[in-house]
Structures are given as structure tokens and as C-alpha cells.
Amino acid sequence: MLSYRHQFHAGNVADVFKHAMLTQLLVALAKKDKPFAMLDTHAGIGRYDLTHAWSQKTEEWRHGIGRVWARTDAPPALTPYLEAVRADNPDGHLKHYPGSPRIARRLMRKDDRLVLCELNKDDCAALKLLFASARHTAIHNQDGFLALKGFLPPPERRGLTFIDASFDQADEFGRITRAIKEAHTRFATGMIAVWYPLMASSAMQAFARSLQAMGLPKTLQLELSVYPEDWTEHIRGSGMIVVNPPFGLDREVPPLLDWLWRAMSPENAGGTRCEWLVPE
Ligand SMILES: C[S@@+](CC[C@H](N)C(=O)[O-])C[C@H]1O[C@@H](n2cnc3c(N)ncnc32)[C@H](O)[C@@H]1O
């Protein structure tokens, strides 16, 4: 039973963090001529209408993209992300927010291949409609965790596995931990990016330890939160594990995270992290 609908959360602080980081990975992959593949295991619908009743109900986007959209002082490295959002709002009014498939396809070149999995039947149908005429883009109504077995390694032998689970089931941290292991075992040189919500510090420490025990290659841990550690009303922030990050990401990301944090944290709560979970 799938209860999670991303429409309620599209464009929120976690999405801005996640998609700003995703664009850094895609820009790095596109620096080499050789085509690459991206597998997006939990794709969503690809583009979200922020005037939709569900977005209006939570208004989460106002604290995320709503705070970043109008700024004119963003670091240049955030331009590809902000341009992807602007491309979906050509009249200059923020109405749509692009999801990971939309952002990815925009940053990928014509021979790069995008594989999208979405388990919700209606959401998958919406995604298929949005990408009806897109080249080298395959859309599957299937479980993204199982898709790791079917689609990795990609024939290109270059690329990114992006895992953005909905965290609406028990032991989702266990599932993403196993998914990282599966993706890495099948495609050892591939980049893996996995989003997670920030939970109690004991749960986060256990997650980090289980990844460190796995024998992964160099792995970065990125986080951004805009609420204090004891915040319980909703998630206080989120993070991303990046296995095999592009060279230099550890130096490039901290100023970007710092800018995003300042833009989205008017109370100056929370903070950012960019640390090697498994050092180089
Ligand atoms: C957080 S949203 C994805 C957002 C999207 N990655 C983005 O950045 O725009 C999670 C999505 O995963 C879908 N989903 C839940 N369980 C899934 C599974 N086992 N396999 C594939 N998709 C799943 C949900 O329907 C939801 O659309």
C-alpha cells in the first residue's frame, strides 16, 4: 500500500537540498564526453504544480524553493539547479517545481540514458505523459529497489544510481542500506546518491556505522537542516550519502550548503555537514 504522495512536499527544504546536490553530480558526469546512465529508483511524477490543493495545504514549498527562487546572489555552482527551476516557470512566476527526472533530463545530454522507476500507478502514468517525447528515457511502473538488480550495471559503465525513497515504511533505513550494498556490488565504479531524512541522533549513528562496516569506497555524507536537533513537528532536515563522489565535491559543496542554509533558515537553526563517511 503506497500512502506517500510527493505533491505535498515538492519544493520544500529537503527537495531544494536534494536537487541542488543532484545537479552537482550530473554536471560532473557531463564533463566527460562518454555517455552515462542515471537510474532514478523513486522518480515521482517529474513536475509539480505548486498551486495544487495538496501543495497549498502544506505550503512546504514556501520555506524551500519559495525562499531561494527570488534570490539574485546564489553561488554560480547553483545556476544549473536554479535554471532547471526557471525553465519550468518561463513567465518568471514560481508555479511549477521540477522533480528529479525533469532536472536530470535537462542536465543530461542526448545520448545519456535515464531510467525511471515509480511504483505508484497513477504517478507513473503522469511521468510517462510528461516524458512522452523524451529521447533515451525509459519509465517503469516497478519497485525501484528491485530495479537495482535489473538495471545495474548499465552498459555505459558510467553513471549514477539515485535512491530517493519515501520513508513511509518501517525499516526504510535498513532498505536503503541494503540498496546501497546491492548497487555497489553490481556497479562498483558507479556513483550512488541516497537521500535520507534526519532522525534521532542514535538512529543516524547506527545508519552511519552500518555504512562504514560495508567496505564502501570513498563516500561523502552531506546534510542540511533548518530546525534544532530536538525538533519533532516534522523532519528537521535531510541528508545524502554519495558513494564515489566526483573529484573535488568535498571542497565545492560546503559553500553551496552554507548559502542554501542561510537562505532557508531565517531562525539560524540547524546547520550543514559535508564529511567523509569513508575517507578517500
Ligand atoms: C520522495 S518521492 C520521489 C521524488 C523524486 N525522486 C524527486 O526528487 O522529484 C518517492 C516516490 O517513490 C514512490 N515509491 C514508493 N515506494 C516505491 C518503490 N518501492 N519503488 C519505486 N517507487 C516507489 C512514491 O510513490 C513517490 O512518488
Side-chain angles (χ1 to χ4, degrees):
M1 174 60 187
L2 287 170
S3 55
Y4 181 90
R5 306 310 294 274
H6 196 63
Q7 181 71 61
F8 286 105
H9 312 292
N12 68 6
V13 175
D15 257 11
V16 173
F17 159 74
K18 168 199 307 179
H19 295 142
M21 296 303 106
L22 174 63
T23 57
Q24 306 309 307
L25 307 182
L26 291 165
V27 165
L29 279 164
K31 278 186 181 151
K32 284 194 184 143
D33 288 342
K34 199 169 176 282
F36 67 91
M38 170 169 156
L39 169 61
D40 187 346
T41 58
H42 295 65
I45 62 173
R47 183 176 57 192
Y48 298 86
D49 180 350
L50 300 177
T51 65
H52 187 289
W54 295 354
S55 290
Q56 293 294 321
K57 184 167 188 259
T58 61
E59 297 213 302
E60 286 187 21
W61 62 273
R62 288 192 189 278
H63 304 279
I65 192 60
R67 285 190 170 135
V68 168
W69 164 257
R71 297 281 296 254
T72 53
D73 59 338
L78 287 177
T79 303
Y81 164 65
L82 292 169
E83 277 181 351
V85 181
R86 285 190 203 116
D88 270 331
N89 297 282
D91 68 357
H93 297 287
L94 179 61
K95 180 170 183 262
H96 290 107
Y97 186 76
S100 52
R102 187 96 170 154
I103 292 171
R105 192 64 269 179
R106 193 182 149 77
L107 288 163
M108 294 169 90
R109 298 141 321 165
K110 68 178 180 12
D111 290 332
D112 297 328
R113 210 164 44 84
L114 180 59
V115 178
L116 306 171
C117 295
E118 170 52 53
L119 194 54
N120 183 294
K121 212 159 141 275
D122 295 338
D123 286 0
C124 190
L127 194 59
K128 283 187 174 161
L129 207 60
L130 187 66
F131 284 97
S133 57
R135 258 174 73 107
H136 289 170
T137 303
I139 300 168
H140 304 275
N141 183 206
Q142 75 171 75
D143 187 318
F145 290 117
L146 297 180
L148 300 170
K149 287 189 174 52
F151 297 114
L152 296 181
E156 294 86 348
R157 301 278 163 168
R158 289 192 70 220
L160 167 66
T161 303
F162 180 60
I163 302 174
D164 184 19
S166 39
F167 281 82
D168 56 353
Q169 292 189 29
D171 192 32
E172 207 76 308
F173 275 100
R175 285 221 292 180
I176 62 169
T177 304
R178 291 190 290 279
I180 292 170
K181 187 162 183 59
E182 177 90 47
H184 176 64
T185 305
R186 290 178 174 273
F187 183 23
T189 56
M191 220 180 268
I192 308 169
V194 184
W195 180 89
Y196 59 89
L198 288 179
M199 303 288 193
S201 60
S202 56
M204 301 323 303
Q205 281 160 16
F207 176 52
R209 277 196 302 272
S210 64
L211 293 175
Q212 282 164 333
M214 209 185 268
L216 290 171
K218 59 186 177 166
T219 299
L220 263 184
Q221 183 168 28
L222 315 175
E223 288 180 355
L224 184 145
S225 74
V226 295
Y227 296 99
E229 206 161 310
D230 57 358
W231 185 263
T232 52
E233 218 167 285
H234 46 71
I235 64 163
R236 65 187 165 89
S238 66
M240 188 180 274
I241 299 295
V242 186
V243 180
N244 285 325
F247 179 75
L249 192 77
D250 57 322
R251 281 177 283 110
E252 288 155 16
V253 146
L256 306 187
L257 286 181
D258 188 56
W259 187 88
L260 288 170
W261 175 73
R262 285 174 199 282
M264 296 190 288
S265 177
E267 310 290 320
N268 284 346
T272 67
R273 170 198 283 221
C274 173
E275 279 169 18
W276 289 107
L277 187 69
V278 180
E280 277 188 290

